[in-house]
Amino acid sequence: AWQQTSRAAYSGTHSASVQNYETVQTAPGSIKELWTPFFDFSNVSQAALTFRVSYGQQYSQNHDSLVVAVSSSCGAGWTTLKGIGSNALAAMSGGFQPNNFVPTSSSQWGWVVINLSSSVHNISNVRFRFQWITGVLSNNIYIDDIDITTAVGIDEQINPWFSFDVNPNPAAGSFDVNYKLNREENVTINLYDLQGRLVKQLENKHESSGTYNNRVEASVFNLSSGIYVLKIITPDGALSKKLVYSDN
């Protein structure tokens, strides 16, 4: 069963875990489920489910899998959002681990981003399910920092002289920053982490009035998975938007 454990955590002192290390074959195909509380997505147009995961594969022919699903019917019906097999889980986190696995560093935790698109938009009773389906000679899995990121709050800003958007969001590898200027002015676009530190200056030049599209190849400057803030700055003010980025 899923349980709270203090054996490992990405942040804080506890994580959710299935302690399933096996030295002999026991019950391949068993399913352990973790259900989240309900979330209200009324008036939400963009959302993503993100979480950290750590897993060590102890046997190359093992077929453990993590399946994430969503329900808008109080759990009566479920829609699969993402399935991750043991090879992919090990590659993004703990790697090959023949022993009773416990992650010992942040590099052994992967980051998963699931774009919820229209599956939850404007729905008031939404919950998520994490299924751990075991294979032969399974090992332990840990999940931490489950989070819902929406385009509410920081994105709800209006400036009469310019506007901008970013898509896709969540993004992987690259994304487009689109902006419109209602008059000629200097434009700076910066990317910050959630601690307010400048990660990358994406634009800094004088532009005429008009509509612009900038493709940002984030993989070129090795942007790590995480949540960032994009800010466009002009003499008429500044606007900010959250960006969810995955380098997987």
Side-chain angles (χ1 to χ4, degrees):
W2 287 94
Q3 60 185 346
Q4 186 182 75
T5 181
S6 59
R7 296 189 76 192
Y10 182 81
S11 61
T13 58
H14 292 78
S15 65
S17 176
V18 177
Q19 296 291 300
N20 208 60
Y21 174 69
E22 298 176 332
T23 55
V24 295
Q25 179 176 331
T26 54
S30 66
I31 300 175
K32 285 86 172 177
E33 294 188 349
L34 173 67
W35 291 25
T36 70
F38 288 100
F39 294 91
D40 186 352
F41 288 90
S42 301
N43 303 314
V44 172
S45 60
Q46 289 182 325
L49 170 67
T50 66
F51 59 92
R52 296 283 179 176
V53 62
S54 187
Y55 166 77
Q57 186 178 23
Q58 70 150 320
Y59 175 51
S60 61
Q61 299 303 310
N62 166 270
H63 296 292
D64 290 338
S65 60
L66 178 67
V67 178
V68 184
V70 63
S71 174
S72 57
S73 58
C74 299
W78 295 91
T79 300
T80 298
L81 296 172
K82 191 176 186 69
I84 314 173
S86 52
N87 291 337
L89 281 169
M92 73 166 65
S93 58
F96 178 70
Q97 299 286 345
N99 299 314
N100 192 339
F101 175 62
V102 180
T104 56
S105 70
S106 60
S107 63
Q108 291 182 309
W109 290 83
W111 197 59
V112 179
V113 178
I114 301 176
N115 187 355
L116 299 177
S117 63
S118 60
S119 58
V120 302
H121 294 175
N122 297 312
I123 299 174
S124 59
N125 293 305
V126 176
R127 69 190 319 179
F128 300 93
R129 182 184 69 188
F130 295 81
Q131 280 187 328
W132 182 237
I133 305 173
T134 63
V136 176
L137 294 178
S138 182
N139 211 335
N140 307 326
I141 184 171
Y142 303 81
I143 290 178
D144 202 4
D145 293 354
I146 300 172
D147 192 22
I148 302 294
T149 300
T150 71
V152 173
I154 192 171
D155 294 338
E156 303 301 321
Q157 305 173 54
I158 298 174
N159 188 295
W161 297 108
F162 62 95
S163 60
F164 91 113
D165 197 9
V166 55
N167 60 80
N169 190 10
S174 64
F175 53 89
D176 293 322
V177 178
N178 309 304
Y179 59 97
K180 180 180 180 181
L181 303 178
N182 290 337
R183 62 183 179 185
E184 182 179 353
E185 56 190 342
N186 294 319
V187 176
T188 300
I189 302 176
N190 291 335
L191 182 67
Y192 300 91
D193 64 18
L194 291 183
Q195 286 71 49
R197 296 173 296 208
L198 179 65
V199 175
K200 182 77 172 178
Q201 185 170 90
L202 305 176
E203 190 74 89
N204 185 24
K205 61 183 180 181
H206 191 81
E207 299 274 29
S208 302
S209 62
T211 301
Y212 297 87
N213 174 273
N214 283 12
R215 169 60 58 91
V216 179
E217 298 291 347
S219 58
V220 172
F221 55 91
N222 298 317
L223 185 65
S224 300
S225 296
I227 301 174
Y228 297 89
V229 175
L230 273 165
K231 179 177 285 188
I232 182 170
I233 306 164
T234 79
D236 290 313
L239 293 177
S240 298
K241 287 186 179 292
K242 287 184 292 187
L243 170 70
V244 179
Y245 180 80
S246 173
D247 60 7
N248 296 327

